[in-house]
Amino acid sequence: MEALLELEGAFARAQADAAFQRSLSTILTEYAGRPTPLTFCTNTSRNLGCRVYLKREDLLHGGAHKLNNTLGQALLAQYMGKTRLIAETGAGQHGVATAIAGAVLGIPVDVYMGATDIARQGLNVDRMALLGARVIPVHSGSRTLKDAVNEALRDWVASVEDTHYVLGSIVGPHPYPLMVRTFQSVIGEETRAQCLEKEGRLPDVILACVGGGSNAMGMFHSFIDDPVRLIGVEAGGEGLDTGRHGASLCAGTEGVLHGALSYLLQDAAGQIAETHSIAAGLDYPGVGPELSHLTHTGRIEAAAVTDGEALDAFGSLSRHEGIIPALESSHAIAHALRIADQLGPDDIMVINLSGRGDKDVGEAALRGGVSG
Amino acid sequence: MNRIDRWFLEHAAPAFIGFTVAGDPDPETSVRVANTLVDGGVDILELGMPFSDPVADGPVIQRADQRALAASTTPDAVFGIARAIRSSSEVPLVLLTYFNLVLNRGIERFYQDARDAGIDGVLIVDMPVEESDGVRAAARASGIAPIFLVAPTTSAARQDAIIARASGFLYLVSVLGVTGVRDRVAEETVSLIRRVRSRTALPLAVGFGISEPDHAAACCEAGADAVIVGSAIVDLIERHLDDEEGMMTALSTYITSMRAAVEKEYR
């Protein structure tokens, strides 16, 4: 608790500190490559009969939106005088982004990663090692993302005096959901300005994939008070009726995991369920508390896409736009393809392309998602 | 009167508190483990309610939780184990759990069921005192002591907030980190006991990393009213999974030696 109170105080001070904000802005622009483009998709727009844009977080340094948050938190760690970073990772994108932030700012990084995820995300494991981070395999529980979070929390309670825990999504105890959403909100702020500039108005519908929900809330936050349809797309895995999925908003019930109240996948007694998704970054039984609340109130729609549909969308965007999306982001694309017939030719759809798919090419090939 | 309060009122000597995961290695054997601990001289028994994601626990207790869950130890089964222990003993019983299991059952119902099973205190490991109004009201209504953790990093202001809201005893976390066996009692543990002692008359129980008679004696000497031994007990269970009689003998021998250390300190 004391660590969270310390973090809450430091985050509030940093938010009001012009020097801190300047450092963050500079590193996001000159190092990470912001702003990322809002790309009009000519071919997909023609095929779907509406105006389709991609917010290109795949072009952010590191290949995913994760760096927005890790640079922010690593700067905050320096601000607090912490000399070591730890992180959890699922697909490895957050681990890589933390390793990048640690490398550029000169802070040692330890990353907890489930043994199952290590086996299926070899490229990112090697990238983290190359970037100087130590990857610690987690063999407990389902050996995926939630177990990596458990292990990182265990490390942190023992090392809190010199260590900052760089949580990668809008989950966990306060102030993490607020802090991570704040660092990711640059996605929605840019999208808003870029859409106004290109189209003279806001989009009609925005889609983002949801695991914990950081790219989704980062995108949605700037549009909460606008008449824009916001859709979070979850991992339907092998289908919601099979129980093998990661769709907490669509199929979960209220519960508390890792210090936050949200929708959770759990059994009748409250034991946390094991989840499944083709996309390791969506393989998490909870979801951010703010996203849960906004779904509960009806402001945000939740949908689920199966492994197979995501794989089809992965291939489709690659062939039609020359952009290989992460399997996580492919969920948002798949649902966009599904709802396009609800839109007219002048309607504007924005899909948050949260990451690039190089890391997934091997997995997709194994499942026959590369040919044809 | 709550059995925990009564114990500390009636005994001037430090208490020896033993922990085991309810349902480890299975519900039936677990009752026998609990009875062996009580017969061996445990003054207060703590039962862990197995949870899928026990973030405050080290690997030894995580594995015990997994064994218990694999043996179908639901919260219903845990209350059944508590009732079975209660049928032959008046030992004060403290339940350790995680909040999702309480919330899922319904907070009031959880505490009523705990009371009906003969449980005297409940510690929700991931419940900060700031968020605890609801559970404390339910605990009070069921006559159950709400027990809270105090860590070496807990500020004086939060210590006071916890002291004002806790009853039964305060659970002092002897070192930063998760549960598990450690080599020795750290200087910070002794300092924590002294700092909290100066702020409250509530009994102080010290846990996390206590496994040897020397540790227990050192904590009592510093002013603790109780020592809590968990991972060392669970470790003995794990070492004897294929030999139930050997498990009971090993537990009995161990408890007797720890018990003697606590008593020696008092004399």
PDB file of all heavy atoms in Angstrom, chain A residues 1-2 5 140-141 146 150 154 157-158 161 255-256 266-272, chain B residues 50-55 57 62 66 69 100-101 104 153-155 158 176-177:
ATOM      1  N   MET A   1       0.825  -1.209   0.000  1.00  0.00           N
ATOM      2  CA  MET A   1       0.000   0.000   0.000  1.00  0.00           C
ATOM      3  C   MET A   1       0.860   1.261   0.000  1.00  0.00           C
ATOM      4  O   MET A   1       0.577   2.207  -0.717  1.00  0.00           O
ATOM      5  CB  MET A   1      -0.885   0.034   1.247  1.00  0.00           C
ATOM      6  CG  MET A   1      -2.346  -0.336   1.036  1.00  0.00           C
ATOM      7  SD  MET A   1      -3.122   0.189  -0.506  1.00  0.00           S
ATOM      8  CE  MET A   1      -3.783   1.786  -0.112  1.00  0.00           C
ATOM      9  N   GLU A   2       1.922   1.241   0.838  1.00  0.00           N
ATOM     10  CA  GLU A   2       2.749   2.449   0.921  1.00  0.00           C
ATOM     11  C   GLU A   2       3.361   2.753  -0.447  1.00  0.00           C
ATOM     12  O   GLU A   2       3.469   3.907  -0.855  1.00  0.00           O
ATOM     13  CB  GLU A   2       3.857   2.278   1.964  1.00  0.00           C
ATOM     14  CG  GLU A   2       3.352   2.010   3.386  1.00  0.00           C
ATOM     15  CD  GLU A   2       2.452   3.101   3.945  1.00  0.00           C
ATOM     16  OE1 GLU A   2       2.582   4.267   3.540  1.00  0.00           O
ATOM     17  OE2 GLU A   2       1.606   2.762   4.805  1.00  0.00           O
ATOM     18  N   LEU A   5       0.816   4.423  -2.567  1.00  0.00           N
ATOM     19  CA  LEU A   5       0.595   5.813  -2.151  1.00  0.00           C
ATOM     20  C   LEU A   5       1.749   6.699  -2.625  1.00  0.00           C
ATOM     21  O   LEU A   5       1.534   7.812  -3.100  1.00  0.00           O
ATOM     22  CB  LEU A   5       0.447   5.888  -0.618  1.00  0.00           C
ATOM     23  CG  LEU A   5      -0.800   5.183  -0.053  1.00  0.00           C
ATOM     24  CD1 LEU A   5      -0.748   5.126   1.472  1.00  0.00           C
ATOM     25  CD2 LEU A   5      -2.086   5.878  -0.515  1.00  0.00           C
ATOM     26  N   SER A 140       4.322 -20.904 -12.481  1.00  0.00           N
ATOM     27  CA  SER A 140       3.142 -21.141 -11.645  1.00  0.00           C
ATOM     28  C   SER A 140       1.862 -20.930 -12.442  1.00  0.00           C
ATOM     29  O   SER A 140       1.847 -20.271 -13.482  1.00  0.00           O
ATOM     30  CB  SER A 140       3.178 -20.219 -10.426  1.00  0.00           C
ATOM     31  OG  SER A 140       3.203 -18.879 -10.848  1.00  0.00           O
ATOM     32  N   GLY A 141       0.758 -21.505 -11.931  1.00  0.00           N
ATOM     33  CA  GLY A 141      -0.574 -21.303 -12.501  1.00  0.00           C
ATOM     34  C   GLY A 141      -0.659 -21.731 -13.950  1.00  0.00           C
ATOM     35  O   GLY A 141      -0.179 -22.791 -14.343  1.00  0.00           O
ATOM     36  N   LYS A 146      -1.385 -13.547 -16.405  1.00  0.00           N
ATOM     37  CA  LYS A 146      -1.795 -13.261 -15.025  1.00  0.00           C
ATOM     38  C   LYS A 146      -0.775 -13.791 -14.030  1.00  0.00           C
ATOM     39  O   LYS A 146      -0.540 -13.189 -12.982  1.00  0.00           O
ATOM     40  CB  LYS A 146      -3.192 -13.800 -14.731  1.00  0.00           C
ATOM     41  CG  LYS A 146      -3.246 -15.252 -14.292  1.00  0.00           C
ATOM     42  CD  LYS A 146      -4.652 -15.668 -13.857  1.00  0.00           C
ATOM     43  CE  LYS A 146      -4.813 -17.189 -13.852  1.00  0.00           C
ATOM     44  NZ  LYS A 146      -4.169 -17.861 -12.729  1.00  0.00           N
ATOM     45  N   ASN A 150       1.299 -11.851 -11.143  1.00  0.00           N
ATOM     46  CA  ASN A 150       1.439 -12.330  -9.764  1.00  0.00           C
ATOM     47  C   ASN A 150       2.908 -12.293  -9.329  1.00  0.00           C
ATOM     48  O   ASN A 150       3.247 -11.824  -8.245  1.00  0.00           O
ATOM     49  CB  ASN A 150       0.942 -13.778  -9.628  1.00  0.00           C
ATOM     50  CG  ASN A 150      -0.569 -13.907  -9.809  1.00  0.00           C
ATOM     51  OD1 ASN A 150      -1.286 -12.914  -9.781  1.00  0.00           O
ATOM     52  ND2 ASN A 150      -1.038 -15.120  -9.985  1.00  0.00           N
ATOM     53  N   ARG A 154       4.879 -10.092  -6.504  1.00  0.00           N
ATOM     54  CA  ARG A 154       5.640 -10.719  -5.411  1.00  0.00           C
ATOM     55  C   ARG A 154       7.041 -10.116  -5.324  1.00  0.00           C
ATOM     56  O   ARG A 154       7.562  -9.881  -4.242  1.00  0.00           O
ATOM     57  CB  ARG A 154       5.715 -12.234  -5.618  1.00  0.00           C
ATOM     58  CG  ARG A 154       4.391 -12.932  -5.378  1.00  0.00           C
ATOM     59  CD  ARG A 154       4.470 -14.443  -5.646  1.00  0.00           C
ATOM     60  NE  ARG A 154       3.151 -15.032  -5.489  1.00  0.00           N
ATOM     61  CZ  ARG A 154       2.495 -15.724  -6.428  1.00  0.00           C
ATOM     62  NH1 ARG A 154       3.060 -15.950  -7.589  1.00  0.00           N
ATOM     63  NH2 ARG A 154       1.289 -16.192  -6.188  1.00  0.00           N
ATOM     64  N   VAL A 157       6.767  -6.380  -3.818  1.00  0.00           N
ATOM     65  CA  VAL A 157       6.556  -6.181  -2.377  1.00  0.00           C
ATOM     66  C   VAL A 157       7.860  -6.402  -1.612  1.00  0.00           C
ATOM     67  O   VAL A 157       8.032  -5.895  -0.511  1.00  0.00           O
ATOM     68  CB  VAL A 157       5.419  -7.052  -1.774  1.00  0.00           C
ATOM     69  CG1 VAL A 157       4.072  -6.628  -2.304  1.00  0.00           C
ATOM     70  CG2 VAL A 157       5.649  -8.528  -1.993  1.00  0.00           C
ATOM     71  N   ALA A 158       8.787  -7.150  -2.192  1.00  0.00           N
ATOM     72  CA  ALA A 158      10.057  -7.393  -1.507  1.00  0.00           C
ATOM     73  C   ALA A 158      11.141  -6.385  -1.909  1.00  0.00           C
ATOM     74  O   ALA A 158      12.160  -6.273  -1.245  1.00  0.00           O
ATOM     75  CB  ALA A 158      10.550  -8.806  -1.796  1.00  0.00           C
ATOM     76  N   GLU A 161      11.719  -0.671  -2.204  1.00  0.00           N
ATOM     77  CA  GLU A 161      12.505   0.502  -1.851  1.00  0.00           C
ATOM     78  C   GLU A 161      13.308   1.049  -3.038  1.00  0.00           C
ATOM     79  O   GLU A 161      13.432   2.259  -3.196  1.00  0.00           O
ATOM     80  CB  GLU A 161      13.424   0.187  -0.664  1.00  0.00           C
ATOM     81  CG  GLU A 161      12.634   0.265   0.634  1.00  0.00           C
ATOM     82  CD  GLU A 161      13.313  -0.391   1.811  1.00  0.00           C
ATOM     83  OE1 GLU A 161      14.532  -0.624   1.744  1.00  0.00           O
ATOM     84  OE2 GLU A 161      12.606  -0.690   2.783  1.00  0.00           O
ATOM     85  N   GLY A 255     -15.603  -9.068 -10.175  1.00  0.00           N
ATOM     86  CA  GLY A 255     -14.687  -9.648  -9.199  1.00  0.00           C
ATOM     87  C   GLY A 255     -13.499  -8.742  -8.962  1.00  0.00           C
ATOM     88  O   GLY A 255     -13.355  -7.707  -9.614  1.00  0.00           O
ATOM     89  N   VAL A 256     -12.652  -9.137  -8.019  1.00  0.00           N
ATOM     90  CA  VAL A 256     -11.463  -8.356  -7.694  1.00  0.00           C
ATOM     91  C   VAL A 256     -10.229  -9.209  -7.937  1.00  0.00           C
ATOM     92  O   VAL A 256     -10.076 -10.274  -7.347  1.00  0.00           O
ATOM     93  CB  VAL A 256     -11.482  -7.876  -6.226  1.00  0.00           C
ATOM     94  CG1 VAL A 256     -10.131  -7.295  -5.833  1.00  0.00           C
ATOM     95  CG2 VAL A 256     -12.584  -6.840  -6.022  1.00  0.00           C
ATOM     96  N   GLN A 266     -14.088 -16.187 -14.059  1.00  0.00           N
ATOM     97  CA  GLN A 266     -13.894 -16.910 -12.809  1.00  0.00           C
ATOM     98  C   GLN A 266     -14.928 -18.018 -12.688  1.00  0.00           C
ATOM     99  O   GLN A 266     -15.945 -18.010 -13.371  1.00  0.00           O
ATOM    100  CB  GLN A 266     -14.030 -15.947 -11.624  1.00  0.00           C
ATOM    101  CG  GLN A 266     -15.358 -15.166 -11.615  1.00  0.00           C
ATOM    102  CD  GLN A 266     -15.423 -14.107 -10.518  1.00  0.00           C
ATOM    103  OE1 GLN A 266     -14.860 -14.287  -9.457  1.00  0.00           O
ATOM    104  NE2 GLN A 266     -16.112 -13.000 -10.787  1.00  0.00           N
ATOM    105  N   ASP A 267     -14.650 -18.975 -11.778  1.00  0.00           N
ATOM    106  CA  ASP A 267     -15.623 -20.047 -11.589  1.00  0.00           C
ATOM    107  C   ASP A 267     -16.664 -19.630 -10.540  1.00  0.00           C
ATOM    108  O   ASP A 267     -16.628 -18.508 -10.028  1.00  0.00           O
ATOM    109  CB  ASP A 267     -14.922 -21.380 -11.261  1.00  0.00           C
ATOM    110  CG  ASP A 267     -14.364 -21.424  -9.838  1.00  0.00           C
ATOM    111  OD1 ASP A 267     -14.622 -20.490  -9.042  1.00  0.00           O
ATOM    112  OD2 ASP A 267     -13.661 -22.403  -9.529  1.00  0.00           O
ATOM    113  N   ALA A 268     -17.573 -20.536 -10.222  1.00  0.00           N
ATOM    114  CA  ALA A 268     -18.691 -20.196  -9.343  1.00  0.00           C
ATOM    115  C   ALA A 268     -18.234 -19.773  -7.955  1.00  0.00           C
ATOM    116  O   ALA A 268     -18.923 -19.024  -7.264  1.00  0.00           O
ATOM    117  CB  ALA A 268     -19.646 -21.386  -9.238  1.00  0.00           C
ATOM    118  N   ALA A 269     -17.043 -20.221  -7.529  1.00  0.00           N
ATOM    119  CA  ALA A 269     -16.563 -19.893  -6.190  1.00  0.00           C
ATOM    120  C   ALA A 269     -15.658 -18.664  -6.174  1.00  0.00           C
ATOM    121  O   ALA A 269     -15.290 -18.181  -5.112  1.00  0.00           O
ATOM    122  CB  ALA A 269     -15.813 -21.088  -5.601  1.00  0.00           C
ATOM    123  N   GLY A 270     -15.289 -18.164  -7.361  1.00  0.00           N
ATOM    124  CA  GLY A 270     -14.413 -16.994  -7.400  1.00  0.00           C
ATOM    125  C   GLY A 270     -12.956 -17.330  -7.683  1.00  0.00           C
ATOM    126  O   GLY A 270     -12.079 -16.475  -7.549  1.00  0.00           O
ATOM    127  N   GLN A 271     -12.661 -18.579  -8.052  1.00  0.00           N
ATOM    128  CA  GLN A 271     -11.298 -18.906  -8.487  1.00  0.00           C
ATOM    129  C   GLN A 271     -11.146 -18.383  -9.908  1.00  0.00           C
ATOM    130  O   GLN A 271     -12.051 -18.537 -10.737  1.00  0.00           O
ATOM    131  CB  GLN A 271     -11.050 -20.425  -8.455  1.00  0.00           C
ATOM    132  CG  GLN A 271     -11.358 -21.086  -7.121  1.00  0.00           C
ATOM    133  CD  GLN A 271     -10.419 -20.665  -5.984  1.00  0.00           C
ATOM    134  OE1 GLN A 271      -9.447 -19.944  -6.207  1.00  0.00           O
ATOM    135  NE2 GLN A 271     -10.738 -21.083  -4.780  1.00  0.00           N
ATOM    136  N   ILE A 272      -9.990 -17.769 -10.190  1.00  0.00           N
ATOM    137  CA  ILE A 272      -9.781 -17.140 -11.493  1.00  0.00           C
ATOM    138  C   ILE A 272      -9.587 -18.225 -12.555  1.00  0.00           C
ATOM    139  O   ILE A 272      -8.852 -19.189 -12.358  1.00  0.00           O
ATOM    140  CB  ILE A 272      -8.548 -16.212 -11.451  1.00  0.00           C
ATOM    141  CG1 ILE A 272      -8.644 -15.242 -10.262  1.00  0.00           C
ATOM    142  CG2 ILE A 272      -8.399 -15.450 -12.759  1.00  0.00           C
ATOM    143  CD1 ILE A 272      -9.905 -14.424 -10.184  1.00  0.00           C
TER     144      ILE A 272
ATOM    145  N   PRO B  50      -7.726 -21.816  -0.044  1.00  0.00           N
ATOM    146  CA  PRO B  50      -6.942 -21.849  -1.282  1.00  0.00           C
ATOM    147  C   PRO B  50      -7.532 -20.954  -2.374  1.00  0.00           C
ATOM    148  O   PRO B  50      -8.745 -20.917  -2.574  1.00  0.00           O
ATOM    149  CB  PRO B  50      -6.973 -23.318  -1.702  1.00  0.00           C
ATOM    150  CG  PRO B  50      -8.074 -23.947  -0.932  1.00  0.00           C
ATOM    151  CD  PRO B  50      -8.262 -23.140   0.316  1.00  0.00           C
ATOM    152  N   PHE B  51      -6.632 -20.214  -3.047  1.00  0.00           N
ATOM    153  CA  PHE B  51      -7.036 -19.279  -4.093  1.00  0.00           C
ATOM    154  C   PHE B  51      -6.152 -19.516  -5.306  1.00  0.00           C
ATOM    155  O   PHE B  51      -4.968 -19.838  -5.170  1.00  0.00           O
ATOM    156  CB  PHE B  51      -6.892 -17.839  -3.571  1.00  0.00           C
ATOM    157  CG  PHE B  51      -7.327 -16.776  -4.559  1.00  0.00           C
ATOM    158  CD1 PHE B  51      -8.559 -16.869  -5.202  1.00  0.00           C
ATOM    159  CD2 PHE B  51      -6.510 -15.683  -4.834  1.00  0.00           C
ATOM    160  CE1 PHE B  51      -8.959 -15.887  -6.114  1.00  0.00           C
ATOM    161  CE2 PHE B  51      -6.907 -14.702  -5.738  1.00  0.00           C
ATOM    162  CZ  PHE B  51      -8.134 -14.807  -6.373  1.00  0.00           C
ATOM    163  N   SER B  52      -6.719 -19.315  -6.477  1.00  0.00           N
ATOM    164  CA  SER B  52      -5.984 -19.558  -7.723  1.00  0.00           C
ATOM    165  C   SER B  52      -4.800 -18.609  -7.908  1.00  0.00           C
ATOM    166  O   SER B  52      -3.834 -18.954  -8.569  1.00  0.00           O
ATOM    167  CB  SER B  52      -6.936 -19.411  -8.916  1.00  0.00           C
ATOM    168  OG  SER B  52      -7.586 -18.146  -8.867  1.00  0.00           O
ATOM    169  N   ASP B  53      -4.865 -17.414  -7.325  1.00  0.00           N
ATOM    170  CA  ASP B  53      -3.840 -16.393  -7.552  1.00  0.00           C
ATOM    171  C   ASP B  53      -3.370 -15.766  -6.235  1.00  0.00           C
ATOM    172  O   ASP B  53      -3.599 -14.577  -6.001  1.00  0.00           O
ATOM    173  CB  ASP B  53      -4.362 -15.319  -8.500  1.00  0.00           C
ATOM    174  CG  ASP B  53      -4.606 -15.887  -9.887  1.00  0.00           C
ATOM    175  OD1 ASP B  53      -5.638 -16.560 -10.079  1.00  0.00           O
ATOM    176  OD2 ASP B  53      -3.758 -15.690 -10.764  1.00  0.00           O
ATOM    177  N   PRO B  54      -2.693 -16.553  -5.400  1.00  0.00           N
ATOM    178  CA  PRO B  54      -2.298 -16.052  -4.068  1.00  0.00           C
ATOM    179  C   PRO B  54      -1.064 -15.164  -4.126  1.00  0.00           C
ATOM    180  O   PRO B  54       0.039 -15.600  -3.835  1.00  0.00           O
ATOM    181  CB  PRO B  54      -2.036 -17.350  -3.289  1.00  0.00           C
ATOM    182  CG  PRO B  54      -1.572 -18.323  -4.331  1.00  0.00           C
ATOM    183  CD  PRO B  54      -2.255 -17.943  -5.618  1.00  0.00           C
ATOM    184  N   VAL B  55      -1.259 -13.888  -4.496  1.00  0.00           N
ATOM    185  CA  VAL B  55      -0.115 -13.017  -4.793  1.00  0.00           C
ATOM    186  C   VAL B  55       0.735 -12.684  -3.579  1.00  0.00           C
ATOM    187  O   VAL B  55       1.875 -12.272  -3.735  1.00  0.00           O
ATOM    188  CB  VAL B  55      -0.546 -11.698  -5.477  1.00  0.00           C
ATOM    189  CG1 VAL B  55      -1.055 -11.963  -6.866  1.00  0.00           C
ATOM    190  CG2 VAL B  55      -1.569 -10.968  -4.652  1.00  0.00           C
ATOM    191  N   ASP B  57       1.665 -14.859  -1.368  1.00  0.00           N
ATOM    192  CA  ASP B  57       2.323 -16.068  -0.893  1.00  0.00           C
ATOM    193  C   ASP B  57       3.487 -16.480  -1.770  1.00  0.00           C
ATOM    194  O   ASP B  57       3.462 -16.313  -2.982  1.00  0.00           O
ATOM    195  CB  ASP B  57       1.307 -17.213  -0.815  1.00  0.00           C
ATOM    196  CG  ASP B  57       0.348 -17.015   0.340  1.00  0.00           C
ATOM    197  OD1 ASP B  57       0.835 -16.971   1.482  1.00  0.00           O
ATOM    198  OD2 ASP B  57      -0.869 -16.865   0.105  1.00  0.00           O
ATOM    199  N   GLN B  62       1.935 -21.363  -2.427  1.00  0.00           N
ATOM    200  CA  GLN B  62       1.268 -21.446  -3.745  1.00  0.00           C
ATOM    201  C   GLN B  62       1.025 -22.903  -4.139  1.00  0.00           C
ATOM    202  O   GLN B  62      -0.042 -23.247  -4.629  1.00  0.00           O
ATOM    203  CB  GLN B  62       2.146 -20.833  -4.834  1.00  0.00           C
ATOM    204  CG  GLN B  62       2.226 -19.320  -4.839  1.00  0.00           C
ATOM    205  CD  GLN B  62       3.215 -18.866  -5.911  1.00  0.00           C
ATOM    206  OE1 GLN B  62       3.149 -19.290  -7.063  1.00  0.00           O
ATOM    207  NE2 GLN B  62       4.150 -18.024  -5.528  1.00  0.00           N
ATOM    208  N   GLN B  66      -2.469 -24.948  -4.787  1.00  0.00           N
ATOM    209  CA  GLN B  66      -2.763 -25.718  -6.006  1.00  0.00           C
ATOM    210  C   GLN B  66      -3.144 -27.159  -5.675  1.00  0.00           C
ATOM    211  O   GLN B  66      -4.057 -27.711  -6.282  1.00  0.00           O
ATOM    212  CB  GLN B  66      -1.575 -25.660  -6.969  1.00  0.00           C
ATOM    213  CG  GLN B  66      -1.504 -24.297  -7.672  1.00  0.00           C
ATOM    214  CD  GLN B  66      -0.211 -24.075  -8.462  1.00  0.00           C
ATOM    215  OE1 GLN B  66       0.606 -24.973  -8.605  1.00  0.00           O
ATOM    216  NE2 GLN B  66      -0.038 -22.869  -8.963  1.00  0.00           N
ATOM    217  N   LEU B  69      -6.720 -26.991  -4.339  1.00  0.00           N
ATOM    218  CA  LEU B  69      -7.706 -26.738  -5.403  1.00  0.00           C
ATOM    219  C   LEU B  69      -7.876 -27.982  -6.275  1.00  0.00           C
ATOM    220  O   LEU B  69      -8.992 -28.317  -6.679  1.00  0.00           O
ATOM    221  CB  LEU B  69      -7.268 -25.538  -6.261  1.00  0.00           C
ATOM    222  CG  LEU B  69      -7.358 -24.175  -5.567  1.00  0.00           C
ATOM    223  CD1 LEU B  69      -6.716 -23.091  -6.428  1.00  0.00           C
ATOM    224  CD2 LEU B  69      -8.811 -23.818  -5.260  1.00  0.00           C
ATOM    225  N   ASN B 100     -11.487 -11.754  -3.536  1.00  0.00           N
ATOM    226  CA  ASN B 100     -12.435 -12.197  -4.561  1.00  0.00           C
ATOM    227  C   ASN B 100     -13.312 -13.340  -4.073  1.00  0.00           C
ATOM    228  O   ASN B 100     -14.469 -13.458  -4.474  1.00  0.00           O
ATOM    229  CB  ASN B 100     -11.707 -12.599  -5.851  1.00  0.00           C
ATOM    230  CG  ASN B 100     -12.658 -12.623  -7.037  1.00  0.00           C
ATOM    231  OD1 ASN B 100     -13.418 -11.674  -7.247  1.00  0.00           O
ATOM    232  ND2 ASN B 100     -12.676 -13.716  -7.776  1.00  0.00           N
ATOM    233  N   LEU B 101     -12.760 -14.195  -3.203  1.00  0.00           N
ATOM    234  CA  LEU B 101     -13.550 -15.316  -2.690  1.00  0.00           C
ATOM    235  C   LEU B 101     -14.650 -14.815  -1.747  1.00  0.00           C
ATOM    236  O   LEU B 101     -15.733 -15.403  -1.664  1.00  0.00           O
ATOM    237  CB  LEU B 101     -12.644 -16.319  -1.974  1.00  0.00           C
ATOM    238  CG  LEU B 101     -11.541 -16.933  -2.851  1.00  0.00           C
ATOM    239  CD1 LEU B 101     -10.635 -17.837  -2.030  1.00  0.00           C
ATOM    240  CD2 LEU B 101     -12.154 -17.711  -4.015  1.00  0.00           C
ATOM    241  N   ASN B 104     -17.286 -12.870  -4.050  1.00  0.00           N
ATOM    242  CA  ASN B 104     -18.043 -13.806  -4.881  1.00  0.00           C
ATOM    243  C   ASN B 104     -19.175 -14.461  -4.092  1.00  0.00           C
ATOM    244  O   ASN B 104     -20.274 -14.668  -4.610  1.00  0.00           O
ATOM    245  CB  ASN B 104     -17.079 -14.864  -5.428  1.00  0.00           C
ATOM    246  CG  ASN B 104     -17.751 -15.801  -6.401  1.00  0.00           C
ATOM    247  OD1 ASN B 104     -18.440 -16.714  -5.988  1.00  0.00           O
ATOM    248  ND2 ASN B 104     -17.588 -15.552  -7.684  1.00  0.00           N
ATOM    249  N   THR B 153       7.061  -1.323   5.904  1.00  0.00           N
ATOM    250  CA  THR B 153       6.935  -0.045   5.192  1.00  0.00           C
ATOM    251  C   THR B 153       5.684   0.729   5.594  1.00  0.00           C
ATOM    252  O   THR B 153       5.502   1.862   5.155  1.00  0.00           O
ATOM    253  CB  THR B 153       6.862  -0.286   3.672  1.00  0.00           C
ATOM    254  OG1 THR B 153       5.916  -1.321   3.431  1.00  0.00           O
ATOM    255  CG2 THR B 153       8.208  -0.672   3.098  1.00  0.00           C
ATOM    256  N   THR B 154       4.790   0.125   6.394  1.00  0.00           N
ATOM    257  CA  THR B 154       3.550   0.806   6.761  1.00  0.00           C
ATOM    258  C   THR B 154       3.868   2.061   7.581  1.00  0.00           C
ATOM    259  O   THR B 154       4.528   1.979   8.616  1.00  0.00           O
ATOM    260  CB  THR B 154       2.644  -0.135   7.583  1.00  0.00           C
ATOM    261  OG1 THR B 154       2.427  -1.324   6.830  1.00  0.00           O
ATOM    262  CG2 THR B 154       1.306   0.514   7.882  1.00  0.00           C
ATOM    263  N   SER B 155       3.380   3.199   7.112  1.00  0.00           N
ATOM    264  CA  SER B 155       3.677   4.466   7.785  1.00  0.00           C
ATOM    265  C   SER B 155       2.986   4.518   9.146  1.00  0.00           C
ATOM    266  O   SER B 155       2.029   3.770   9.400  1.00  0.00           O
ATOM    267  CB  SER B 155       3.176   5.630   6.928  1.00  0.00           C
ATOM    268  OG  SER B 155       1.756   5.588   6.855  1.00  0.00           O
ATOM    269  N   ARG B 158      -0.728   5.116   8.782  1.00  0.00           N
ATOM    270  CA  ARG B 158      -1.523   3.947   8.399  1.00  0.00           C
ATOM    271  C   ARG B 158      -1.532   2.917   9.519  1.00  0.00           C
ATOM    272  O   ARG B 158      -2.522   2.225   9.703  1.00  0.00           O
ATOM    273  CB  ARG B 158      -1.012   3.339   7.093  1.00  0.00           C
ATOM    274  CG  ARG B 158      -1.340   4.203   5.878  1.00  0.00           C
ATOM    275  CD  ARG B 158      -1.176   3.446   4.568  1.00  0.00           C
ATOM    276  NE  ARG B 158      -2.238   2.480   4.347  1.00  0.00           N
ATOM    277  CZ  ARG B 158      -2.057   1.165   4.315  1.00  0.00           C
ATOM    278  NH1 ARG B 158      -0.861   0.647   4.501  1.00  0.00           N
ATOM    279  NH2 ARG B 158      -3.069   0.364   4.104  1.00  0.00           N
ATOM    280  N   LEU B 176       9.934  -7.507   4.287  1.00  0.00           N
ATOM    281  CA  LEU B 176       9.262  -7.187   3.033  1.00  0.00           C
ATOM    282  C   LEU B 176       9.227  -8.429   2.159  1.00  0.00           C
ATOM    283  O   LEU B 176      10.205  -9.168   2.096  1.00  0.00           O
ATOM    284  CB  LEU B 176      10.017  -6.079   2.303  1.00  0.00           C
ATOM    285  CG  LEU B 176       9.835  -4.677   2.874  1.00  0.00           C
ATOM    286  CD1 LEU B 176      10.610  -3.686   2.028  1.00  0.00           C
ATOM    287  CD2 LEU B 176       8.374  -4.293   2.906  1.00  0.00           C
ATOM    288  N   GLY B 177       8.128  -8.652   1.496  1.00  0.00           N
ATOM    289  CA  GLY B 177       8.075  -9.765   0.563  1.00  0.00           C
ATOM    290  C   GLY B 177       6.913 -10.685   0.836  1.00  0.00           C
ATOM    291  O   GLY B 177       5.961 -10.327   1.515  1.00  0.00           O
TER     292      GLY B 177
END
